PDB file of all heavy atoms in Angstrom:
ATOM      1  N   ARG A 381     -11.015  24.445 -46.296  1.00  0.00           N
ATOM      2  CA  ARG A 381     -11.456  24.899 -47.769  1.00  0.00           C
ATOM      3  C   ARG A 381     -12.473  26.078 -47.859  1.00  0.00           C
ATOM      4  O   ARG A 381     -12.203  26.970 -48.467  1.00  0.00           O
ATOM      5  CB  ARG A 381     -11.922  23.523 -48.395  1.00  0.00           C
ATOM      6  CG  ARG A 381     -11.809  23.619 -49.929  1.00  0.00           C
ATOM      7  CD  ARG A 381     -11.929  22.128 -50.529  1.00  0.00           C
ATOM      8  NE  ARG A 381     -11.841  22.241 -52.059  1.00  0.00           N
ATOM      9  CZ  ARG A 381     -10.706  22.274 -52.726  1.00  0.00           C
ATOM     10  NH1 ARG A 381      -9.507  22.267 -52.005  1.00  0.00           N
ATOM     11  NH2 ARG A 381     -10.699  22.320 -54.078  1.00  0.00           N
ATOM     12  N   LYS A 382     -13.491  25.849 -47.128  1.00  0.00           N
ATOM     13  CA  LYS A 382     -14.610  27.022 -47.157  1.00  0.00           C
ATOM     14  C   LYS A 382     -13.954  28.273 -46.594  1.00  0.00           C
ATOM     15  O   LYS A 382     -14.170  29.378 -47.308  1.00  0.00           O
ATOM     16  CB  LYS A 382     -15.768  26.552 -46.270  1.00  0.00           C
ATOM     17  CG  LYS A 382     -16.846  27.568 -46.308  1.00  0.00           C
ATOM     18  CD  LYS A 382     -18.019  27.239 -45.387  1.00  0.00           C
ATOM     19  CE  LYS A 382     -17.732  27.732 -44.084  1.00  0.00           C
ATOM     20  NZ  LYS A 382     -19.030  27.826 -43.109  1.00  0.00           N
ATOM     21  N   ILE A 385     -11.732  30.024 -49.241  1.00  0.00           N
ATOM     22  CA  ILE A 385     -12.532  30.596 -50.378  1.00  0.00           C
ATOM     23  C   ILE A 385     -13.132  31.974 -49.903  1.00  0.00           C
ATOM     24  O   ILE A 385     -12.978  33.043 -50.468  1.00  0.00           O
ATOM     25  CB  ILE A 385     -13.657  29.765 -50.886  1.00  0.00           C
ATOM     26  CG1 ILE A 385     -13.010  28.473 -51.518  1.00  0.00           C
ATOM     27  CG2 ILE A 385     -14.458  30.471 -52.046  1.00  0.00           C
ATOM     28  CD1 ILE A 385     -14.051  27.276 -51.891  1.00  0.00           C
ATOM     29  N   ASN A 386     -13.772  31.862 -48.679  1.00  0.00           N
ATOM     30  CA  ASN A 386     -14.421  33.067 -48.065  1.00  0.00           C
ATOM     31  C   ASN A 386     -13.268  34.164 -47.889  1.00  0.00           C
ATOM     32  O   ASN A 386     -13.722  35.373 -48.079  1.00  0.00           O
ATOM     33  CB  ASN A 386     -15.043  32.747 -46.777  1.00  0.00           C
ATOM     34  CG  ASN A 386     -16.549  32.187 -46.990  1.00  0.00           C
ATOM     35  OD1 ASN A 386     -17.034  32.163 -48.044  1.00  0.00           O
ATOM     36  ND2 ASN A 386     -17.073  31.480 -45.910  1.00  0.00           N
ATOM     37  N   ASN A 389     -12.043  35.745 -51.120  1.00  0.00           N
ATOM     38  CA  ASN A 389     -13.217  36.680 -51.588  1.00  0.00           C
ATOM     39  C   ASN A 389     -13.662  37.764 -50.701  1.00  0.00           C
ATOM     40  O   ASN A 389     -14.468  38.712 -51.108  1.00  0.00           O
ATOM     41  CB  ASN A 389     -14.569  35.806 -51.784  1.00  0.00           C
ATOM     42  CG  ASN A 389     -14.470  34.796 -52.894  1.00  0.00           C
ATOM     43  OD1 ASN A 389     -13.565  34.962 -53.780  1.00  0.00           O
ATOM     44  ND2 ASN A 389     -15.260  33.798 -52.906  1.00  0.00           N
ATOM     45  N   ILE A 425     -10.506  26.118 -57.009  1.00  0.00           N
ATOM     46  CA  ILE A 425     -10.958  25.636 -55.672  1.00  0.00           C
ATOM     47  C   ILE A 425     -12.603  25.872 -55.629  1.00  0.00           C
ATOM     48  O   ILE A 425     -13.012  27.011 -55.837  1.00  0.00           O
ATOM     49  CB  ILE A 425     -10.232  26.303 -54.505  1.00  0.00           C
ATOM     50  CG1 ILE A 425     -10.607  25.847 -53.250  1.00  0.00           C
ATOM     51  CG2 ILE A 425     -10.338  27.949 -54.564  1.00  0.00           C
ATOM     52  CD1 ILE A 425      -9.667  26.185 -52.095  1.00  0.00           C
ATOM     53  N   GLU A 426     -13.190  24.875 -55.194  1.00  0.00           N
ATOM     54  CA  GLU A 426     -14.619  24.998 -54.961  1.00  0.00           C
ATOM     55  C   GLU A 426     -14.988  24.185 -53.740  1.00  0.00           C
ATOM     56  O   GLU A 426     -14.221  23.296 -53.367  1.00  0.00           O
ATOM     57  CB  GLU A 426     -15.410  24.496 -56.177  1.00  0.00           C
ATOM     58  CG  GLU A 426     -15.245  25.225 -57.431  1.00  0.00           C
ATOM     59  CD  GLU A 426     -16.141  25.136 -58.499  1.00  0.00           C
ATOM     60  OE1 GLU A 426     -17.277  24.597 -58.308  1.00  0.00           O
ATOM     61  OE2 GLU A 426     -15.829  25.550 -59.615  1.00  0.00           O
ATOM     62  N   TYR A 427     -16.134  24.456 -53.168  1.00  0.00           N
ATOM     63  CA  TYR A 427     -16.706  23.705 -51.993  1.00  0.00           C
ATOM     64  C   TYR A 427     -18.093  23.622 -51.858  1.00  0.00           C
ATOM     65  O   TYR A 427     -18.769  24.825 -52.036  1.00  0.00           O
ATOM     66  CB  TYR A 427     -15.932  24.291 -50.784  1.00  0.00           C
ATOM     67  CG  TYR A 427     -16.379  23.632 -49.484  1.00  0.00           C
ATOM     68  CD1 TYR A 427     -15.973  22.438 -49.168  1.00  0.00           C
ATOM     69  CD2 TYR A 427     -17.284  24.291 -48.613  1.00  0.00           C
ATOM     70  CE1 TYR A 427     -16.372  21.807 -47.977  1.00  0.00           C
ATOM     71  CE2 TYR A 427     -17.640  23.645 -47.466  1.00  0.00           C
ATOM     72  CZ  TYR A 427     -17.220  22.491 -47.142  1.00  0.00           C
ATOM     73  OH  TYR A 427     -17.673  21.882 -46.027  1.00  0.00           O
ATOM     74  N   THR A 428     -18.681  22.560 -51.622  1.00  0.00           N
ATOM     75  CA  THR A 428     -20.178  22.501 -51.418  1.00  0.00           C
ATOM     76  C   THR A 428     -20.404  22.176 -49.837  1.00  0.00           C
ATOM     77  O   THR A 428     -19.824  21.033 -49.548  1.00  0.00           O
ATOM     78  CB  THR A 428     -20.866  21.588 -52.237  1.00  0.00           C
ATOM     79  OG1 THR A 428     -20.452  21.926 -53.574  1.00  0.00           O
ATOM     80  CG2 THR A 428     -22.406  21.717 -52.215  1.00  0.00           C
ATOM     81  N   ALA A 429     -21.068  22.924 -49.105  1.00  0.00           N
ATOM     82  CA  ALA A 429     -21.326  22.621 -47.732  1.00  0.00           C
ATOM     83  C   ALA A 429     -22.307  21.423 -47.698  1.00  0.00           C
ATOM     84  O   ALA A 429     -23.400  21.479 -48.198  1.00  0.00           O
ATOM     85  CB  ALA A 429     -21.884  23.775 -47.017  1.00  0.00           C
ATOM     86  N   SER A 432     -25.938  22.498 -45.855  1.00  0.00           N
ATOM     87  CA  SER A 432     -26.846  23.494 -46.473  1.00  0.00           C
ATOM     88  C   SER A 432     -26.673  23.316 -48.023  1.00  0.00           C
ATOM     89  O   SER A 432     -27.621  23.863 -48.643  1.00  0.00           O
ATOM     90  CB  SER A 432     -26.196  24.871 -46.092  1.00  0.00           C
ATOM     91  OG  SER A 432     -24.952  25.090 -46.663  1.00  0.00           O
ATOM     92  N   GLY A 433     -25.770  22.664 -48.603  1.00  0.00           N
ATOM     93  CA  GLY A 433     -25.632  22.596 -50.057  1.00  0.00           C
ATOM     94  C   GLY A 433     -25.218  23.839 -50.706  1.00  0.00           C
ATOM     95  O   GLY A 433     -24.939  23.905 -51.861  1.00  0.00           O
ATOM     96  N   LYS A 434     -24.712  24.821 -49.852  1.00  0.00           N
ATOM     97  CA  LYS A 434     -24.248  26.093 -50.416  1.00  0.00           C
ATOM     98  C   LYS A 434     -22.980  25.925 -51.102  1.00  0.00           C
ATOM     99  O   LYS A 434     -22.103  25.111 -50.549  1.00  0.00           O
ATOM    100  CB  LYS A 434     -24.063  27.104 -49.213  1.00  0.00           C
ATOM    101  CG  LYS A 434     -23.657  28.523 -49.616  1.00  0.00           C
ATOM    102  CD  LYS A 434     -23.650  29.509 -48.466  1.00  0.00           C
ATOM    103  CE  LYS A 434     -22.989  30.793 -48.776  1.00  0.00           C
ATOM    104  NZ  LYS A 434     -22.709  31.568 -47.608  1.00  0.00           N
ATOM    105  N   HIS A 435     -22.780  26.448 -52.221  1.00  0.00           N
ATOM    106  CA  HIS A 435     -21.659  26.256 -53.028  1.00  0.00           C
ATOM    107  C   HIS A 435     -20.719  27.465 -53.045  1.00  0.00           C
ATOM    108  O   HIS A 435     -21.192  28.668 -53.025  1.00  0.00           O
ATOM    109  CB  HIS A 435     -22.079  25.947 -54.555  1.00  0.00           C
ATOM    110  CG  HIS A 435     -20.903  25.475 -55.343  1.00  0.00           C
ATOM    111  ND1 HIS A 435     -20.385  24.393 -55.142  1.00  0.00           N
ATOM    112  CD2 HIS A 435     -20.219  26.140 -56.427  1.00  0.00           C
ATOM    113  CE1 HIS A 435     -19.364  24.165 -55.973  1.00  0.00           C
ATOM    114  NE2 HIS A 435     -19.223  25.287 -56.740  1.00  0.00           N
ATOM    115  N   TYR A 436     -19.438  27.145 -52.914  1.00  0.00           N
ATOM    116  CA  TYR A 436     -18.475  28.304 -52.674  1.00  0.00           C
ATOM    117  C   TYR A 436     -17.463  28.273 -53.908  1.00  0.00           C
ATOM    118  O   TYR A 436     -16.883  27.109 -54.238  1.00  0.00           O
ATOM    119  CB  TYR A 436     -17.596  28.124 -51.476  1.00  0.00           C
ATOM    120  CG  TYR A 436     -18.517  28.286 -50.119  1.00  0.00           C
ATOM    121  CD1 TYR A 436     -19.330  27.249 -49.747  1.00  0.00           C
ATOM    122  CD2 TYR A 436     -18.498  29.482 -49.407  1.00  0.00           C
ATOM    123  CE1 TYR A 436     -20.043  27.337 -48.692  1.00  0.00           C
ATOM    124  CE2 TYR A 436     -19.168  29.566 -48.305  1.00  0.00           C
ATOM    125  CZ  TYR A 436     -20.045  28.457 -47.989  1.00  0.00           C
ATOM    126  OH  TYR A 436     -20.759  28.647 -46.869  1.00  0.00           O
ATOM    127  N   LYS A 437     -17.111  29.283 -54.484  1.00  0.00           N
ATOM    128  CA  LYS A 437     -16.014  29.401 -55.453  1.00  0.00           C
ATOM    129  C   LYS A 437     -15.482  30.763 -55.453  1.00  0.00           C
ATOM    130  O   LYS A 437     -15.981  31.687 -54.911  1.00  0.00           O
ATOM    131  CB  LYS A 437     -16.569  29.072 -56.851  1.00  0.00           C
ATOM    132  CG  LYS A 437     -17.585  29.883 -57.514  1.00  0.00           C
ATOM    133  CD  LYS A 437     -17.898  29.211 -58.787  1.00  0.00           C
ATOM    134  CE  LYS A 437     -19.007  30.079 -59.695  1.00  0.00           C
ATOM    135  NZ  LYS A 437     -18.867  31.485 -59.785  1.00  0.00           N
ATOM    136  N   LEU A 438     -14.315  30.853 -56.181  1.00  0.00           N
ATOM    137  CA  LEU A 438     -13.536  32.101 -56.039  1.00  0.00           C
ATOM    138  C   LEU A 438     -14.099  33.262 -56.858  1.00  0.00           C
ATOM    139  O   LEU A 438     -14.563  33.041 -58.113  1.00  0.00           O
ATOM    140  CB  LEU A 438     -12.051  31.985 -56.573  1.00  0.00           C
ATOM    141  CG  LEU A 438     -10.908  31.211 -55.592  1.00  0.00           C
ATOM    142  CD1 LEU A 438      -9.671  31.446 -56.195  1.00  0.00           C
ATOM    143  CD2 LEU A 438     -10.995  31.972 -54.207  1.00  0.00           C
TER     144      LEU A 438
END
Side-chain angles (χ1 to χ4, degrees):
R381 205 161 179 87
K382 182 183 86 167
I385 302 172
N386 277 343
N389 288 344
I425 185 167
E426 296 198 15
Y427 175 75
T428 305
S432 63
K434 184 172 167 188
H435 190 69
Y436 296 80
K437 63 181 175 51
L438 279 189

